[in-house]
């Protein structure tokens, strides 16, 4: 009888492999950027290194000695939370062009804080405003990116 690998071990290996491949592709593409400003390569290269580090973080638990050392596979409520966050992010991307950056980001943060956080409405509104405005300032003012 063939033993099947522990589902968390398999998931870590698959996710780690994906992150490592994405990191390598990101690094190759970052080095291919032809721009006189050295900062143009910095962010993609830093992201590539971060992706590779995350890949290592997924590989290490999968190399654990036994299946007993691995965490249990998430139960149904936790999987639903992950699916919920993924769905909200998809709606954010879809709604971004129509709503604009600041309102869409504020709505995203508001929904996630209310659904996943344990904050009062007052704290939720303050955090939502702070995060949305800070994101807008960073991307539009500091980085000079055109926003929808």
């Amino acid at each position: 009888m063939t033993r099947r690998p522990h589902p968390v071990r398999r998931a870590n290996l698959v996710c780690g492999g994906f992150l490592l491949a994405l990191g390598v592709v990101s690094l190759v593409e970052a080095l291919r950027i032809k721009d006189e400003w050295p900062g143009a390569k910095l962010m993609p290269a830093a992201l590539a290194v971060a992706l590779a580090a995350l890949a290592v973080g997924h590989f290490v638990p999968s190399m654990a000695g036994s299946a007993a050392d691995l965490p249990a596979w998430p139960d149904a409520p936790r999987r639903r939370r992950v699916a919920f966050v993924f769905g909200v992010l998809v709606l954010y991307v879809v709604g971004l062009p129509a709503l604009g950056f600041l309102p869409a980001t504020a709505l995203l943060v508001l929904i996630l804080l209310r659904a996943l956080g344990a904050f009062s409405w007052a704290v939720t509104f303050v955090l939502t405003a702070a995060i949305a405005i800070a994101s807008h300032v960073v991307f539009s003012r500091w980085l000079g990116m055109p926003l929808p």
Side-chain angles (χ1 to χ4, degrees):
M1 183 165 115
T2 307
R3 286 186 55 175
R4 294 180 53 193
H6 191 277
V8 173
R9 181 172 292 166
R10 183 177 38 230
N12 279 342
L13 288 173
V14 170
C15 188
F18 176 75
L19 288 171
L20 185 60
L22 194 58
V24 168
V25 169
S26 297
L27 185 59
V28 167
E29 292 301 315
L31 296 175
R32 290 182 52 201
I33 294 174
K34 297 190 183 344
D35 194 328
E36 293 179 19
W37 180 57
K41 294 181 181 181
L42 179 62
M43 187 61 178
L47 185 62
V49 170
L51 288 169
L54 288 171
V56 169
H58 278 80
F59 286 140
V60 169
S62 67
M63 305 300 177
S66 69
D69 297 334
L70 295 171
W73 192 253
D75 57 356
R78 289 189 177 129
R79 287 194 303 268
R80 280 194 293 274
R81 288 179 75 175
V82 170
F84 172 77
V85 170
F86 183 74
V88 170
L89 288 172
V90 167
L91 291 174
Y92 173 72
V93 170
V94 170
L96 195 59
L99 296 173
F101 182 81
L102 193 56
T105 302
L107 192 59
L108 169 78
V109 173
L110 178 71
I111 290 169
L112 290 178
L113 284 177
R114 283 309 297 171
L116 303 177
F119 302 110
S120 68
W121 275 106
V123 172
T124 299
F125 282 129
V126 169
L127 285 173
T128 296
I131 292 170
I133 291 169
S135 298
H136 189 269
V137 167
V138 166
F139 287 110
S140 68
R141 304 280 188 239
W142 294 355
L143 297 176
M145 295 180 67
L147 300 174

